[in-house]
Amino acid sequence: VLPFASFSASTLVGRIPEFDDDLSRLTTRRVLAVRSVPAEAKPGDPVTLTALVADPDSTESATELSWSLCLARKPLTELGPVAQDCIDRFGSSSEIFAPLGNGTEVTATLPDDACRQFGPLRPPAENGEKAGRPVDPDLSGGYFQPLVVGEEEANLGSIRISCGAVGLSLDESIVFTRGYRPNENPEFGEVTLSGDDGDLTLSDDGAGGDVQQIRAGETFTLEAAFPVCPAKAECGDGICSAGENQVDCAADCRENPKGCAGAERYLFADVENAKTVEHTESVVVAWFSNAGRFGGEQTEAELDDETPRAENTWTAPDKTGPVRIWLVARDDRGGVGWRSYTLEIVD
């Protein structure tokens, strides 16, 4: 399951779409990502959904976005991460949608039956037919409630559902339940730009301050750092890590528990071997700008040094004037974080 994707209706029905050679270059306004806070929730829990709208010509965000949960199960014969009906009928008053409102941010409540409709529990029979089969988990063992958001065109997003583990022995299920921690959205640390004149720590658009200047036509190295996550559970470090819980570590997990905003460790239900095992997330950064060119459209954060960081190159445009850059981080469990920057290109 993809945590976020943007499709036109024709993309999913067999027509060959036309792709821009450089997907990191923004020429029109686009929804780049959708973030859920919290990043993982149980059925019946409230979440806040925010869209990152990037406009190459303006710093103003679009406010006419329409949001809906998609309630339709995807038939087994259909490809794609969501039922085709949710694309075809986007913007309609169909019963397959649960409208959430308009704007760049809305609130939602996960349906009580989310783990039956989109998770590991067998859904009930409908209209006299046999009960459907449970949904297969993604590679991280997770399940997702799909949603659609957009103006005229549907953009797909999702909310990770906390459905527990199915297929483990009783003892292993207890280990999983006691030690599994919901996902935390990734957060950027320092983002630096290095060139011939040295290193520059970028000031994100939300921090205010003067617009930083860089030279036209120069190729820079961009590095995005992330928090260092604990290699093992340690009660009292301020992070409710995999393996900790309210009983064993009240200091970290009882009041306002916080996970790590980098590459987290998490418990994975290895059903094939009937074991609870520990995995570590990867974090991938997608890079966007309205001018200039990146060395790659996305890069994975390196985790083998003291400060995990993703690296890319970016060549500034030859034309002087303002340029905008957007960074979107995604982890294996559907967590999303982003930053945006405005730079001034000078001779």
Side-chain angles (χ1 to χ4, degrees):
V1 177
L2 295 177
F4 177 79
S6 175
F7 295 94
S8 65
S10 63
T11 305
L12 299 181
V13 295
R15 286 177 52 190
I16 299 176
E18 295 182 1
F19 292 104
D20 189 336
D21 288 339
D22 185 4
L23 297 180
S24 64
R25 178 71 175 271
L26 294 186
T27 57
T28 59
R29 187 169 65 192
R30 283 163 56 185
V31 178
L32 298 183
V34 171
R35 178 173 57 204
S36 169
V37 177
E40 183 173 352
K42 295 179 180 179
D45 284 353
V47 296
T48 299
L49 302 169
T50 308
L52 172 61
V53 182
D55 191 327
D57 302 317
S58 173
T59 58
E60 297 295 326
S61 297
T63 57
E64 298 305 316
L65 296 175
S66 175
W67 298 73
S68 294
L69 295 180
C70 172
L71 305 180
R73 282 173 54 86
K74 183 177 71 68
L76 296 177
T77 54
E78 268 187 21
L79 299 177
V82 68
Q84 177 67 38
D85 277 353
C86 287
I87 302 298
D88 294 341
R89 301 189 193 182
F90 176 70
S92 73
S93 57
S94 170
E95 70 282 354
I96 66 172
F97 297 116
L100 301 176
N102 299 306
T104 54
E105 182 175 292
V106 296
T107 57
T109 300
L110 279 174
D112 291 333
D113 62 350
C115 289
R116 290 195 176 277
Q117 293 291 358
F118 303 106
L121 304 182
R122 184 176 295 277
E126 295 182 356
N127 302 322
E129 298 181 358
K130 292 183 179 179
R133 64 181 294 274
V135 173
D136 293 326
D138 75 345
L139 294 178
S140 71
Y143 304 91
F144 295 85
Q145 165 69 56
L147 62 89
V148 286
V149 56
E151 294 175 287
E152 298 179 355
E153 187 174 286
N155 300 272
L156 305 182
S158 62
I159 308 164
R160 188 179 178 98
I161 317 166
S162 186
C163 293
V166 174
L168 298 177
S169 67
L170 177 59
D171 288 344
E172 289 296 319
S173 293
I174 292 174
V175 171
F176 183 91
T177 301
R178 286 174 59 89
Y180 183 81
R181 303 274 63 80
N183 192 27
E184 192 81 23
N185 284 315
E187 295 179 4
F188 285 96
E190 281 192 347
V191 175
T192 58
L193 183 146
S194 303
D196 294 341
D197 295 329
D199 300 340
L200 177 67
T201 299
L202 299 186
S203 177
D204 67 272
D205 287 340
D210 296 331
V211 175
Q212 294 158 303
Q213 296 182 335
I214 60 173
R215 291 196 295 187
E218 186 174 340
T219 296
F220 300 88
T221 297
L222 274 166
E223 287 190 345
F226 294 92
V228 179
C229 292
K232 61 180 181 179
E234 183 176 338
C235 191
D237 63 2
I239 295 176
C240 190
S241 300
E244 295 180 339
N245 56 58
Q246 295 182 1
V247 176
D248 297 335
C249 185
D252 292 344
C253 300
R254 179 159 295 178
E255 295 184 11
N256 300 317
K258 182 77 172 177
C260 181
E264 291 183 281
R265 294 180 304 105
Y266 67 95
L267 297 187
F268 174 80
D270 183 356
V271 177
E272 184 176 347
N273 296 303
K275 285 285 187 181
T276 297
V277 296
E278 194 174 278
H279 284 185
T280 299
E281 295 173 335
S282 62
V283 177
V284 174
V285 176
W287 310 77
F288 304 92
S289 68
N290 63 343
R293 181 172 290 272
F294 287 103
E297 295 171 0
Q298 62 179 32
T299 58
E300 185 173 340
E302 297 291 338
L303 305 178
D304 55 358
D305 58 7
E306 291 185 3
T307 302
R309 62 184 66 245
E311 183 177 301
N312 204 351
T313 60
W314 179 69
T315 302
D318 294 325
K319 183 180 179 180
T320 60
V323 62
R324 299 197 69 204
I325 294 175
W326 297 265
L327 279 61
V328 178
R330 294 185 173 90
D331 65 35
D332 288 341
R333 294 194 285 166
V336 179
W338 58 67
R339 287 279 186 89
S340 64
Y341 304 93
T342 301
L343 300 171
E344 182 75 19
I345 310 298
V346 297
D347 288 331

